[in-house]
Amino acid sequence: MKKNVILLLLLLAYLATAYTQTFVPLAENVNASFRGMSTVGKDIVWVSGSKGSVGYSKDQGKTWQWVNPQGYEQYDFRDIHAFSAKEAIIINAGSPVVVLRTTDGGQSWQKVYEDVRPEIFFDDIVFYGKNGYILADPIDGAFQLLKTTNKGKSWYDVSSHFILFADEGEAAFAASGSSMKMFKNKLYIGTGGKYSSFFSYNPKGLKIDKYDVPIWSGEPTTGIFAIDFYNERKGIVVGGNYMEDMNNKNNILLTYDGGKSWTKPTTPVNGYRSDVLYITQHIVLATGTSGTDISYDGGLNWKNISTLSFNTISKSSDNKNIYLTGSRGNIYKLILNYK
């Protein structure tokens, strides 16, 4: 028994040192804050952000094309979803909200949806194939939800179909476009504010479940800022308090039953985190304004690898290219080197 424990500890120590990490700047000091990012295939990456900024690269970030939509210079495009180097969808946060779509690599943009209600606030967009959803903050006690079945060519409001009831002071965050995760028949949503919860939404099964999540919450600046799932049962939520980004008292939780229950990792992340992403089943990244952490054991133990400030993480389809964006107009590639 003792021998097995020693072997296990040696294995864990090996895994923790089997990789080195290198952060490579791809773009810096662009006059925008980037929070939206989407990758397609092995080489294509799109970004979106403040001051109407949208750009894409077809060569893993070596060169960039900036294709800001004309007439939207003051819009903050918090999230983006790309289907190819030519086809992408962007959404902004704050009223009036719009959904813009391009099919020619951003040379032109078509407005496919608009909402001018003063209280409307888009948080993020997610797709599974041609089907997609846009999540917005609560109005009259319920989260707003839009749906598309044709790759975003048209959208319709499904907020009243299955009501996502919000507790008082509960909202979602547009920090990284990662409040939602979509599977074929399920939509997962993480929330925050004065109350943090996890929604499991199954429109085909005519079912909505809402579970308490014991992450740091209770204030408008606290809660779940991002979620990711390796499969329908195994997932992670991250967040905390973006006003105290060095504080890590309760910023990350794990689930193994699709969000019904949550547990703390053995070793937590180093502070507030606005995004989290499974690179593989075992390798997971989390990032935020106070730094980036990595786990080699599926999220149980975390190690800080950088204090650079980022908002968002994305990866290529082959898991080899990992990208991060931040509020200082910075886009980086993270290279994981196996020794």
Side-chain angles (χ1 to χ4, degrees):
M1 180 67 179
K2 185 176 180 181
K3 181 179 179 181
N4 290 337
V5 171
I6 293 173
L7 288 174
L8 177 60
L9 291 174
L10 289 173
L11 176 60
L12 290 174
Y14 169 76
L15 290 173
T17 58
Y19 288 84
T20 60
Q21 307 85 29
T22 306
F23 287 83
V24 180
L26 303 177
E28 292 188 286
N29 300 317
V30 178
N31 189 24
S33 171
F34 295 122
R35 293 185 183 274
M37 185 162 51
S38 180
T39 53
V40 184
K42 298 180 180 179
D43 302 317
I44 299 167
V45 55
W46 287 73
V47 296
S48 66
S50 64
K51 301 181 180 180
S53 301
V54 183
Y56 71 91
S57 172
K58 296 191 288 186
D59 55 10
Q60 301 178 17
K62 296 174 185 176
T63 60
W64 292 88
Q65 300 291 324
W66 298 103
V67 291
N68 303 356
Q70 293 185 4
Y72 296 91
E73 290 79 9
Q74 302 305 314
Y75 281 59
D76 189 356
F77 293 114
R78 291 289 184 94
D79 204 6
I80 183 168
H81 183 86
F83 297 97
S84 68
K86 293 185 176 181
E87 190 174 5
I89 294 172
I90 52 177
I91 64 172
N92 72 297
S95 180
V97 293
V98 295
V99 183
L100 304 183
R101 191 173 188 273
T102 183
T103 57
D104 56 10
Q107 298 305 305
S108 63
W109 293 88
Q110 178 188 7
K111 183 168 64 177
V112 294
Y113 188 86
E114 183 178 30
D115 191 333
V116 299
R117 288 178 292 173
E119 61 269 39
I120 191 71
F121 190 98
F122 279 170
D123 294 298
D124 56 357
I125 184 173
V126 67
F127 271 86
Y128 188 96
K130 296 182 178 180
N131 299 320
Y133 289 93
I134 294 173
L135 177 69
D137 276 353
I139 297 177
D140 296 328
F143 285 94
Q144 305 298 289
L145 199 65
L146 302 181
K147 184 178 181 179
T148 181
T149 57
N150 56 12
K151 295 175 68 175
K153 297 174 184 177
S154 59
W155 295 84
Y156 54 98
D157 194 327
V158 295
S159 306
S160 61
H161 291 196
F162 302 98
I163 300 176
L164 302 172
F165 287 108
D167 284 73
E168 184 178 355
E170 184 180 9
F173 290 107
S176 62
S178 302
S179 295
M180 297 190 292
K181 179 73 176 183
M182 190 175 178
F183 295 96
K184 185 176 181 180
N185 296 320
K186 283 188 178 180
L187 179 67
Y188 291 156
I189 299 171
T191 70
K194 292 185 178 181
Y195 180 85
S196 288
S197 63
F198 179 81
F199 287 94
S200 177
Y201 178 93
N202 187 344
K204 288 191 175 181
L206 305 179
K207 187 179 181 183
I208 296 176
D209 293 311
K210 183 178 182 180
Y211 304 105
D212 293 339
V213 182
I215 200 169
W216 186 358
S217 59
E219 302 171 67
T221 57
T222 61
I224 300 171
F225 282 75
I227 69 175
D228 196 29
F229 275 72
Y230 182 74
N231 53 41
E232 290 190 21
R233 296 184 62 82
K234 181 180 180 180
I236 299 178
V237 298
V238 297
N241 187 342
Y242 71 82
M243 296 298 290
E244 299 182 32
D245 66 355
M246 297 294 292
N247 192 326
N248 71 338
K249 68 177 185 180
N250 184 16
N251 295 352
I252 179 170
L253 294 171
L254 313 176
T255 183
Y256 300 98
D257 55 12
K260 295 178 182 178
S261 62
W262 298 88
T263 59
K264 290 184 178 182
T266 305
T267 308
V269 294
N270 258 30
Y272 156 79
R273 296 296 176 253
S274 59
D275 207 0
V276 63
L277 184 67
Y278 281 94
I279 306 304
T280 67
Q281 179 178 359
H282 302 292
I283 303 174
V284 196
L285 285 169
T287 199
T289 52
S290 61
T292 299
D293 304 295
I294 194 166
S295 171
Y296 295 109
D297 56 9
L300 287 173
N301 293 279
W302 293 84
K303 175 186 177 182
N304 184 255
I305 57 173
S306 173
T307 57
L308 292 170
S309 176
F310 295 112
N311 297 322
T312 312
I313 316 170
S314 191
K315 66 175 182 176
S316 60
S317 59
D318 60 2
N319 299 331
K320 293 183 179 179
N321 296 306
I322 303 164
Y323 306 96
L324 302 98
T325 63
S327 295
R328 300 170 184 170
N330 50 332
I331 308 170
Y332 274 63
K333 178 185 285 189
L334 171 59
I335 301 174
L336 298 178
N337 299 303
Y338 188 80
K339 291 182 179 180

